[in-house]
Amino acid sequence: QVQLVESGGGLVQAGGSLRLSCAASGRTFSNYAMGWFRQAPGKEREFVTGIDWSGGRWYYADFVKGRFTISRDNAKRTVYLQMNNLKPEDTAVYYCAADQDFISIDRSPDYWGQGTQVTVSS
């Protein structure tokens, strides 16, 4: 019921910024919680941040608090991840996710995008 396509990844210097976008299709998008995960080479996939259907509640992993911001525009059927003060350890493939329950967005999302590469040079 939900299809997700990420964009906006690329190569940036440490301290720089990127904004990732995730375009969603499917009639139930506005009712889904949305989130972002990332996976670095040799590492397990980890939760980054999530947002509920209204855009009024957020949940961030400790390692991105104060640097990353999640937002959504339901009219455009898009969720964003603004990443500031990027560090080399942020280098990873970033995946968009959707889930019917905000409580479980960080553990078992129902849908995944294909991922977009973010590389931060030092």
Side-chain angles (χ1 to χ4, degrees):
Q1 292 183 308
V2 178
Q3 298 80 45
L4 308 172
V5 180
E6 302 98 331
S7 62
L11 174 64
V12 298
Q13 296 184 48
S17 298
L18 281 175
R19 188 180 73 166
L20 306 184
S21 297
C22 175
S25 61
R27 72 181 193 277
T28 61
F29 171 77
S30 63
N31 296 322
Y32 278 75
M34 303 294 296
W36 291 92
F37 290 70
R38 70 186 189 185
Q39 187 167 20
K43 304 288 187 178
E44 293 190 352
R45 188 171 298 186
E46 61 184 351
F47 173 76
V48 177
T49 181
I51 189 169
D52 75 353
W53 70 270
S54 70
R57 296 182 63 83
W58 309 267
Y59 177 25
Y60 292 96
D62 287 342
F63 56 83
V64 300
K65 286 182 178 177
R67 299 191 298 124
F68 292 9
T69 303
I70 189 171
S71 62
R72 68 188 295 165
D73 185 335
N74 287 345
K76 296 182 178 179
R77 305 176 70 84
T78 302
V79 62
Y80 304 96
L81 181 64
Q82 179 66 46
M83 304 185 293
N84 298 325
N85 191 25
L86 284 161
K87 304 175 181 180
E89 54 262 42
D90 294 319
T91 295
V93 176
Y94 283 72
Y95 297 90
C96 181
D99 195 87
Q100 296 185 55
D101 190 351
F102 178 70
I103 295 175
S104 60
I105 186 63
D106 62 330
R107 293 186 294 275
S108 57
D110 298 321
Y111 302 96
W112 295 92
Q114 83 289 346
T116 185
Q117 177 70 47
V118 172
T119 303
V120 184
S121 64
S122 59

